[in-house]
Amino acid sequence: MLNFLIKNALIFDGLGSPAFTGDIGIKEGQIVAISPDISLEAAQVVDASGFWVTPGFIDIHTHYDLELEIAPGLSESVRHGVTTVVIGNCSLSVAVGEAQMLADIFQRVETLSHRLIAKWLNQSVSWQTPGEYLHHLQQLPLGPNVAPMLGHSAVRAHVMGLERSLTVDPTPGELNQMELIAESALEAGFIGISIDMFPWHRMSGEWRGCTIPSQHAKLPEYARLAHLCRQRDRVFQVTPNLHRLASFLDIIALGSGIGQPPLRLTVLSALDAVHNRNLWRVFSPLLWIWNRLLRGNVRFQTLTEPFTIYSDGPVTPLFEEFSTGAQLNSCDSPEERQELWASETFREQFRKDWLNGWRKSFHRDLKLMEILSCPEPSFQGLSFAAIAEKMQRDPVELFMDLLQRYDTDLRWVATGANDRLEPRLAMMKHPDILPGFTDAGAHVRNLGYYDGALSLLKQAVTTNFMTPEAAIHRVTGEPAQWFRLDAGVLKVGAKADLVLLNPLGLQEAIAPQVEILDPILDGEPRMVKRGSDQIIHSVYIKGVPVVSQGQVSSRLGSEPLGTVLFPSVAGRE
């Protein structure tokens, strides 16, 4: 007897094939039958007339490494149809290293709450090797499947010690030791290695303000890790250094397949930046050269909706890209920030930094930065520039005054990229750009893009820029194949990870981000989406319904449903 029989659904297999109406039989966590009509007995029959069934979505860029230890159900992603997550991105992982050191690397880069960090530290489990970490992950009551990458920052700090990893070059022996650890991780089943060159990812703790360990490496160190991934056809993920354009040439050289097997390389990120309206046009010709002429296997990642970030006064990841902004983020208290603002030298430098347009990633346009909440109610809903005009003040001076006066009681929002529909659709449709880059689990106070796959599907349905089956393929079977994951496809014998959704809900606009007080964070705020409750009828992981009409089952995170995914046997592309 079947556990579940889903009848009369429009079935999308995740491979881009035309959808068909039929039934799906589930038994003991597996799909055992897919047919236009299944007559087998079942303990529960679900009439899915008018609904779509798709594979569970794959989120290729998350930072759930710490949250998995506290709340392994990952309900915010699962409620949006995600049943597989890739962790260990941007050189950050907890696979090796001492707990406090890892917390200091993670906390500021991903703006994780102090409570979340403290909670993790209080219950952190000790493991000595990447293989032991994978074994630990397999013992957790995982909600979604987890595909781990090995973070270079963690390995570098573990081998060299945190201080040396931030201040000196490794010895030949230390390079060899890093290579051995990375090799053992790939042999144990990590799907790849991530490095980070992004100059605005900074430390907290004793070394607060310093850039994280991976950024202190030189090209030969990165190349050794890339070579390990090339040998085993594993994923190598990198974020370029926008301050050093030569870093792009280094990455292109790493990704070349001329005279050697191609490196399975994924790069962050392809975006339509507000401050540079032609930047998005570069990605298509660059990828054509990289993947066609240089015989690479490169995939950029893009966000499927406008890149809107919420900020608390001067505490925001948007300030990490200039020195005085980074100083404000380094302060542990409002009093420290007030000391900075009291200095005329600091204010003058902040003004220069703010107006300096050299290689910025955030537009810093005060006309496009809106106040959401403030002790002065009349400011709410206005941009900083509008307030300055109303008060006949210099906009930057007013901005600094408001940051000084209200500190984190001033909540503001700005959209920095992907706000235009046409470029966004073009990037999401490009065969060498993967829809992803949600950063789920990170920046919980600043953004909440847990619904990235649904956003793509909504835009496909409302604009017809691609067919529904093509859009579903882009966030299921396609990333599964490229990342070499046994997931993302509906077929007999596959694990029963699937989504039952109402296509009428896809006609609605992309849901706004809203703020909740999350019990997972002990009541601290988290930005989330709630529009998917009108789309997602139910989510099944291992044949268990874990989400039903907006309600998350207590089974999610309390019993093992997801698994740790190791690289599949699929050959090179």
Side-chain angles (χ1 to χ4, degrees):
M1 177 182 288
L2 301 174
N3 300 115
F4 286 94
L5 178 57
I6 300 175
K7 298 281 293 182
N8 307 315
L10 188 63
I11 299 171
F12 295 82
D13 63 7
L15 297 172
S17 310
F20 65 94
T21 301
D23 305 343
I24 298 179
I26 299 171
K27 183 177 181 180
E28 296 179 356
Q30 280 194 324
I31 297 173
V32 296
I34 301 178
S35 172
D37 184 25
I38 297 174
S39 56
L40 299 173
E41 290 187 17
Q44 184 173 343
V45 177
V46 178
D47 184 4
S49 300
F51 288 86
W52 294 359
V53 173
T54 77
F57 304 135
I58 298 173
D59 192 333
I60 62 173
H61 193 99
T62 79
H63 290 282
Y64 273 131
D65 306 66
L66 295 186
E67 191 169 325
L68 272 170
E69 304 296 323
I70 297 165
L74 304 186
S75 58
E76 276 308 320
S77 284
V78 173
R79 71 185 300 139
H80 296 287
V82 174
T83 61
T84 297
V85 298
V86 176
I87 63 170
N89 287 285
C90 299
S91 86
L92 307 178
S93 69
V94 296
V96 291
E98 185 267 326
Q100 184 61 61
M101 177 185 73
L102 296 173
D104 289 346
I105 295 173
F106 258 93
Q107 184 162 20
R108 181 162 168 180
V109 176
E110 305 306 342
T111 51
L112 296 172
S113 76
H114 288 273
R115 287 190 187 181
L116 178 64
I117 293 291
K119 197 172 183 179
W120 176 70
L121 286 173
N122 287 338
Q123 65 182 57
S124 60
V125 179
S126 176
W127 45 81
Q128 300 301 314
T129 67
E132 290 179 10
Y133 171 66
L134 290 184
H135 178 73
H136 162 74
L137 275 183
Q138 290 171 307
Q139 308 312 305
L140 295 177
L142 298 176
N145 307 306
V146 175
M149 299 182 68
L150 181 69
H152 177 221
S153 279
V155 175
R156 195 173 209 266
H158 175 63
V159 170
M160 300 178 65
L162 183 58
E163 180 177 354
R164 294 188 73 255
S165 75
L166 301 174
T167 56
V168 300
D169 293 333
T171 65
E174 287 169 336
L175 282 172
N176 290 336
Q177 190 177 352
M178 278 188 258
E179 189 171 17
L180 287 173
I181 291 174
E183 189 171 22
S184 72
L186 298 180
E187 291 297 325
F190 281 73
I191 68 165
I193 300 171
S194 67
I195 67 168
D196 182 68
M197 301 178 181
F198 198 61
W200 307 318
H201 287 166
R202 302 178 187 272
M203 297 284 301
S204 61
E206 181 183 357
W207 288 88
R208 62 180 180 174
C210 183
T211 54
I212 60 175
S214 186
Q215 294 176 32
H216 296 266
K218 293 184 170 62
L219 181 60
E221 185 174 337
Y222 298 137
R224 290 176 74 155
L225 300 176
H227 179 67
L228 293 176
C229 290
R230 189 191 303 273
Q231 283 182 314
R232 293 161 180 79
D233 197 22
R234 305 293 174 87
V235 175
F236 193 67
Q237 185 254 310
V238 59
T239 48
N241 183 346
L242 300 184
H243 281 177
R244 193 175 72 86
L245 294 182
S247 72
F248 288 90
L249 298 178
D250 293 341
I251 297 168
I252 288 172
L254 288 176
S256 170
I258 295 177
Q260 59 186 337
L263 175 65
R264 198 173 289 265
L265 176 67
T266 181
V267 183
L268 296 185
S269 58
L271 295 171
D272 172 30
V274 169
H275 73 278
N276 185 342
R277 285 309 196 182
N278 289 313
L279 179 63
W280 71 277
R281 299 181 184 278
V282 171
F283 299 111
S284 183
L286 174 61
L287 284 162
W288 187 87
I289 293 170
W290 214 339
N291 287 336
R292 306 307 181 269
L293 297 185
L294 300 181
R295 301 177 185 175
N297 185 9
V298 182
R299 298 293 183 273
F300 274 83
Q301 299 178 20
T302 192
L303 188 65
T304 61
E305 51 195 290
F307 197 4
T308 300
I309 295 181
Y310 295 77
S311 300
D312 295 301
V315 180
T316 170
L318 296 175
F319 279 14
E320 295 283 32
E321 66 179 5
F322 57 95
S323 63
T324 47
Q327 283 181 262
L328 289 165
N329 278 329
S330 289
C331 294
D332 285 333
S333 68
E335 290 75 20
E336 285 188 50
R337 290 189 288 274
Q338 290 303 318
E339 286 185 23
L340 290 177
W341 288 122
S343 165
E344 283 301 318
T345 301
F346 177 83
R347 290 177 67 92
E348 289 174 10
Q349 188 58 49
F350 183 93
R351 180 185 182 87
K352 289 179 182 177
D353 288 347
W354 188 259
L355 297 175
N356 183 359
W358 185 71
R359 293 180 191 168
K360 62 184 180 181
S361 65
F362 173 53
H363 53 70
R364 304 181 207 164
D365 187 341
L366 295 171
K367 297 190 295 295
L368 304 177
M369 298 163 55
E370 180 182 323
I371 294 176
L372 294 177
S373 61
C374 176
E376 173 50 64
S378 65
F379 291 167
Q380 295 180 20
L382 298 177
S383 71
F384 290 102
I387 297 169
E389 183 177 5
K390 186 177 179 180
M391 299 179 69
Q392 297 186 322
R393 294 279 311 279
D394 174 81
V396 180
E397 287 296 322
L398 174 93
F399 182 49
M400 288 190 288
D401 284 348
L402 294 183
L403 292 176
Q404 179 178 4
R405 185 182 312 164
Y406 299 122
D407 199 61
T408 56
D409 288 336
L410 177 68
R411 180 86 164 149
W412 55 277
V413 63
T415 298
N418 280 25
D419 55 319
R420 299 187 298 175
L421 180 63
E422 183 181 351
R424 190 168 71 242
L425 297 184
M427 288 186 290
M428 290 191 295
K429 191 174 182 178
H430 194 284
D432 295 336
I433 299 177
L434 290 171
F437 184 47
T438 69
D439 262 359
H443 307 297
V444 295
R445 183 82 172 116
N446 307 111
L447 51 85
Y449 296 114
Y450 306 92
D451 65 335
L454 283 179
S455 295
L456 170 66
L457 190 50
K458 277 185 177 184
Q459 291 167 90
V461 168
T462 56
T463 70
N464 296 314
F465 86 103
M466 68 170 63
T467 64
E469 53 265 36
I472 291 166
H473 174 58
R474 296 237 70 192
V475 291
T476 57
E478 182 179 351
Q481 180 189 24
W482 195 83
F483 278 84
R484 296 180 57 196
L485 306 177
D486 187 11
V489 177
L490 298 183
K491 63 182 180 180
V492 173
K495 186 164 167 274
D497 299 335
L498 50 87
V499 178
L500 183 62
L501 61 84
N502 180 1
L504 297 178
L506 295 172
Q507 299 293 337
E508 304 296 326
I510 295 174
Q513 300 178 68
V514 296
E515 186 177 271
I516 65 167
L517 301 179
D518 194 341
I520 293 173
L521 305 180
D522 290 339
E524 287 197 8
R526 186 200 289 261
M527 301 304 298
V528 300
K529 297 287 193 72
R530 285 296 178 262
S532 68
D533 293 351
Q534 307 302 315
I535 305 171
I536 301 292
H537 179 276
S538 50
V539 180
Y540 293 78
I541 300 179
K542 199 180 178 181
V544 174
V546 292
V547 175
S548 180
Q549 296 179 306
Q551 299 300 310
V552 177
S553 169
S554 60
R555 300 178 69 177
L556 186 65
S558 62
E559 61 182 89
L561 300 173
T563 60
V564 177
L565 295 180
F566 303 123
S568 66
V569 184
R572 291 184 179 273
E573 297 176 7

